[in-house]
Amino acid sequence: MLLYALTVFVSAFLLFQVQPVIAKMVLPWFGGSAMVWTTCMLFFQMILLAGYAYSHAIVRKPVAFQTRLHLACLAFSLVWLPVNPRDWLKPGGEANPLFGILLTLLFSVGLPYFMLSTTGPLMQAWYASSHPGRLPYRLFALSNFGSLLALLAYPVLVEPNIPLRMQGWVWSALFVLFLILCSATALRTRRTLIDRADSADLTDTAGPAPTARQKLAWMSLAACASILLLAVTNHLTQNIAAIPFLWIIPLALYLFSFMLCFDSDRWYNHWVFVVLAAIALSVMAYQFWLEEGPKTYARLTIVLYSLALFICCMFCHGEVARRKPHPKYLTGFYLMVSVGGALGGLFVSVLAPLLFPYYFELSVGLALTGICAFLVTYRESWLTDILWAGVSIFLIATVYRDVAASRKDNIFMTRNFYGALRLRNSGLDFDGTKLRTLINGTINHGSQFVDGKRSKIPTTYYGERSGVGISILNKRHAGMRVGVIGLGAGTLTIYGQPGETFKVYEINSRVREISQTWFSYTRQSKANVEIVMGDARLSLEREQPNGFDVLAVDAFSSDAIPVHLLTREAVQLYLKHLQPDGIIAIHISNKYLNLYPVVQKIVDSLDLRMVLVESREVPGSEQFGADWILVSPDKTLFDRPEYRAAASNPAPEPNAPLFTDDYSNLYQILR
């Protein structure tokens, strides 16, 4: 038992340790979007399904064939080491991010991850065959404990103490240890089982095979848990930040529920969780009925959704565990559970962006879970029938509410890998106050007055009194060059004058289409406006020095921020493209994260000079209050009156973290 347990534990630990490691490595390559993690999860679920299918098929073969094939695959997986993504896999400008991420993961960690995913069900099947009469399901609980430990260890021990590239090497070394353990277990099983006849007593007492209805219940409950996991993760990462901490919390709770439900019957009380799940689903759904959305701080938002997700996963996985079959059928059981998980991943990662013009998968996932709960508990009690019928009706109404609310006042909606975009009109035509606004998720990404006389006014965060406005106006000269990371509505290009160049870096092709179709900033600009598609950092790495007088880094306004654009190495790259007396204007307006100490630490480490410009709202002009940090290698630039008058520097924070490509921890700067 010890050898089987150790092999299962190590494989599960590595299986889930590699997920945040490899996802964080590829995150900068694909724009730092929240959907990068969701796509990674889809890959992991599909490979897990393939591993379970392999285990289900191989256990039907003679044990000699099983062990020979498995040992050969284990040996071949060494070719993939180390698992650090190769540079030739970096995407081009407008490459398909979904396909690119899947391809990168396949060539980086494909076969090692596949071999790890086969271990749980295969070891349990081998243990059940070689130890007749002993139930192997506690090995599944041990597997989930190893997975949970790996996830919790990453933000606490691994991420703060081991550089990112080194994490891949350490993981690869531990994978070699797993190969040794797994090979020893295979050889021991082969010695114990000469042929399949040795396990005849197991098959004779197995009872009837699971019915199609039972298999559908396994799959449906697993799919609902998977949908909620990914939808809640999306909700948190899109509105706070796409960071490992917010990936790991929901996934850890998901695995913790698996561990408890399969460890022992005492952890899951059917009637208690029937009621708690109904309450949890209703609480999450209630958020969609609030006019302004939930007024919560980041930490409270995380706690609320995490607790509700855990309760729902306990219900789904508890009901799956209540229906687990005889060990003879365990590989088929795990295969159906894995199919459900993969279907949930496909729904959130692939189907939802294709079918829905906005983020409806959370409300739809809540409704699907409610309907599934009604069906699996149907006729257990008239009370539960009434409870779940009422909850299901409320959840279906919530979907309608979510769709109706998203369409209210919106004249156009579209969605792709990088986000859900909406256009909204407000104000009136006759008095020149009609305003068109681009909204990405829940955040304003640019507005413009429709009236021709006022359409050239830079609005929102980019007014003339803002940090970026002051920088452009005071650096103006013949042939001025301005770089902009993040196009939005194209507001900053309206500052352009004849002979000047505004070079804008934008990763989302839909944003470019909208800015050029529904807004006129780029068309009305008198400067030469160039739009470079693709991740800004990758584009800047490929380009020769641009000699920018001002480089506006505008990717950090309240929603999920791409951390790779705010590291020491990123700022060093910006300096390469900057004039010696140029300005990097970094937009740090953010309701969830305090980004000032992060920039301050980077500036101090590079011996640069910075000032903070906190502009106030200008009534009637649609110019918001905004926080911009201006950074320059010129130590005397900000002593000039025009900058000194606008500057307001807070006290330094000596304990601020230094963000690098190898280390960043946004949890430390949550408000």
Side-chain angles (χ1 to χ4, degrees):
M1 178 66 170
L2 180 60
L3 184 58
Y4 290 96
L6 190 58
T7 304
V8 166
F9 177 83
V10 173
S11 70
F13 184 89
L14 293 176
L15 192 73
F16 280 83
Q17 181 73 188
V18 78
Q19 292 186 16
V21 171
I22 200 75
K24 191 172 181 181
M25 287 181 180
V26 304
L27 185 67
W29 292 8
F30 298 93
S33 163
M35 278 298 293
V36 174
W37 173 248
T38 305
T39 306
C40 289
M41 283 297 296
L42 172 64
F43 173 84
F44 299 139
Q45 288 175 321
M46 297 304 293
I47 298 297
L48 191 69
L49 173 59
Y52 281 16
Y54 165 92
S55 300
H56 182 62
I58 197 177
V59 295
R60 287 163 168 72
K61 305 295 182 182
V63 69
F65 174 82
Q66 293 181 44
T67 53
R68 279 200 302 268
L69 176 61
H70 204 64
L71 288 170
C73 291
L74 288 171
F76 187 57
S77 66
L78 289 169
V79 175
W80 264 253
L81 302 184
V83 295
N84 295 351
R86 279 61 170 178
D87 286 341
W88 62 270
L89 290 167
K90 284 186 178 181
E94 295 189 65
N96 185 317
L98 182 66
F99 177 75
I101 293 169
L102 296 177
L103 190 67
T104 300
L105 294 176
L106 180 64
F107 281 103
S108 300
V109 74
L111 188 56
Y113 195 86
F114 173 80
M115 298 311 301
L116 290 169
S117 69
T118 68
T119 306
L122 190 59
M123 292 298 120
Q124 290 177 67
W126 284 353
Y127 177 78
S129 297
S130 57
H131 297 79
R134 298 187 185 179
L135 295 179
Y137 285 109
R138 296 200 75 174
L139 286 174
F140 185 63
L142 178 65
S143 172
N144 283 288
F145 174 70
S147 303
L148 178 64
L149 189 63
L151 289 174
L152 296 178
Y154 187 77
V156 176
L157 298 176
V158 177
E159 187 181 26
N161 299 308
I162 304 177
L164 185 59
R165 300 297 293 182
M166 184 59 65
Q167 291 173 24
W169 284 96
V170 171
W171 187 93
S172 300
L174 292 175
F175 182 76
V176 174
L177 173 63
F178 158 75
L179 293 183
I180 296 171
L181 287 171
C182 193
S183 300
T185 308
L187 293 173
R188 179 173 178 176
T189 302
R190 182 174 181 172
R191 288 195 299 269
T192 304
L193 298 174
I194 304 302
D195 53 42
R196 298 291 293 177
D198 290 1
S199 57
D201 57 335
L202 177 69
T203 59
D204 291 344
T205 60
T211 64
R213 184 174 181 177
Q214 288 175 299
K215 293 179 180 179
L216 183 61
W218 300 339
M219 187 172 64
S220 300
L221 288 163
C224 288
S226 176
I227 290 172
L228 290 181
L229 164 66
L230 295 175
V232 168
T233 304
N234 266 357
H235 180 79
L236 294 176
T237 54
Q238 284 160 358
N239 289 285
I240 299 178
I243 54 174
F245 175 74
L246 293 181
W247 302 337
I248 288 169
I249 287 179
L251 184 55
L253 293 172
Y254 174 88
L255 289 172
F256 189 45
S257 68
F258 251 132
M259 184 187 77
L260 292 180
C261 293
F262 281 83
D263 176 66
S264 171
D265 294 339
R266 70 178 182 273
W267 298 112
Y268 179 74
N269 184 298
H270 171 67
W271 298 109
V272 170
F273 278 96
V274 162
V275 176
L276 288 179
I279 295 172
L281 289 170
S282 300
V283 168
M284 284 194 284
Y286 175 69
Q287 310 300 311
F288 293 95
W289 293 83
L290 300 176
E291 289 293 335
E292 299 289 334
K295 296 183 183 301
T296 57
Y297 293 102
R299 288 181 174 85
L300 185 56
T301 301
I302 294 168
V303 170
L304 173 67
Y305 279 93
S306 298
L307 179 60
L309 173 66
F310 175 69
I311 291 171
C312 293
C313 288
M314 279 295 294
F315 171 77
C316 291
H317 295 152
E319 292 303 305
V320 170
R322 287 179 70 212
R323 293 163 171 79
K324 60 182 180 286
H326 187 277
K328 175 189 175 183
Y329 307 110
L330 69 82
T331 56
F333 169 68
Y334 290 135
L335 180 61
M336 287 297 101
V337 172
S338 182
V339 167
L343 288 176
L346 283 170
F347 172 75
V348 175
S349 301
V350 179
L351 292 180
L354 292 175
L355 298 176
F356 304 148
Y358 194 61
Y359 297 119
F360 299 135
E361 51 264 41
L362 180 54
S363 61
V364 171
L366 296 175
L368 290 174
T369 305
I371 294 169
C372 182
F374 174 74
L375 293 175
V376 298
T377 61
Y378 184 59
R379 291 188 175 178
E380 287 186 355
S381 162
W382 65 270
L383 286 173
T384 56
D385 288 349
I386 293 175
L387 173 67
W388 280 112
V391 170
S392 297
I393 291 171
F394 174 63
L395 295 175
I396 292 170
T398 298
V399 176
Y400 176 79
R401 165 73 179 187
D402 190 21
V403 173
S406 69
R407 290 178 175 174
K408 183 180 179 182
D409 299 327
N410 294 322
I411 59 174
F412 178 75
M413 291 193 300
T414 186
R415 180 180 178 182
N416 64 2
F417 180 88
Y418 296 108
L421 303 168
R422 296 177 289 157
L423 284 172
R424 177 174 296 174
N425 281 345
S426 59
L428 300 171
D429 279 316
F430 70 84
D431 62 358
T433 63
K434 186 175 181 180
L435 192 75
R436 180 164 296 155
T437 301
L438 172 63
I439 301 171
N440 189 345
T442 59
I443 306 303
N444 184 319
H445 274 225
S447 298
Q448 184 177 27
F449 288 104
V450 176
D451 179 73
K453 296 179 181 179
R454 307 184 71 191
S455 62
K456 294 183 180 181
I457 296 176
T459 59
T460 63
Y461 311 102
Y462 315 107
E464 294 182 357
R465 299 181 186 177
S466 68
V468 69
I470 291 171
S471 299
I472 293 174
L473 293 176
N474 285 285
K475 295 298 293 183
R476 172 150 286 152
H477 62 86
M480 181 177 71
R481 294 181 60 83
V482 176
V484 181
I485 296 178
L487 176 61
T491 313
L492 282 176
T493 62
I494 201 64
Y495 281 98
Q497 295 297 317
E500 298 175 354
T501 297
F502 278 63
K503 193 170 186 179
V504 186
Y505 299 87
E506 175 57 52
I507 197 169
N508 191 343
S509 60
R510 296 283 175 84
V511 170
R512 179 184 61 183
E513 295 166 9
I514 289 172
S515 69
Q516 295 178 335
T517 304
W518 293 89
F519 297 89
S520 62
Y521 283 128
T522 56
R523 295 196 304 273
Q524 292 189 88
S525 176
K526 297 176 183 178
N528 173 38
V529 178
E530 302 175 15
I531 299 178
V532 179
M533 297 306 301
D535 177 75
R537 183 160 170 186
L538 293 180
S539 298
L540 289 169
E541 286 174 357
R542 288 189 287 260
E543 294 176 357
Q544 294 298 313
N546 280 282
F548 293 130
D549 296 284
V550 177
L551 175 59
V553 185
D554 180 34
F556 312 115
S557 56
S558 286
D559 50 357
I561 76 167
V563 181
H564 69 291
L565 297 179
L566 196 62
T567 65
R568 189 177 191 271
E569 292 84 353
V571 174
Q572 286 177 313
L573 178 63
Y574 303 153
L575 292 172
K576 170 188 169 184
H577 291 272
L578 200 68
Q579 293 284 4
D581 62 345
I583 297 174
I584 304 171
I586 304 175
H587 188 193
I588 63 165
S589 303
N590 197 292
K591 63 183 178 182
Y592 288 121
L593 301 167
N594 179 18
L595 296 173
Y596 178 83
V598 175
V599 180
Q600 178 192 62
K601 193 75 171 183
I602 294 172
V603 167
D604 290 345
S605 72
L606 295 175
D607 193 27
L608 304 173
R609 180 83 182 276
M610 62 176 273
V611 293
L612 172 65
V613 177
E614 298 175 298
S615 58
R616 296 182 179 180
E617 181 179 353
V618 179
S621 67
E622 199 60 25
Q623 293 180 1
F624 304 158
D627 298 339
W628 289 83
I629 292 179
L630 309 184
V631 179
S632 179
D634 185 340
K635 297 293 184 65
T636 63
L637 179 66
F638 298 132
D639 292 329
R640 298 177 186 176
E642 58 269 27
Y643 298 107
R644 194 167 57 246
S648 57
N649 286 327
E653 299 189 28
N655 297 323
L658 176 61
F659 279 21
T660 67
D661 288 350
D662 276 332
Y663 174 77
S664 58
N665 189 343
L666 290 180
Y667 181 74
Q668 294 178 268
I669 57 171
L670 282 176
R671 294 190 187 275

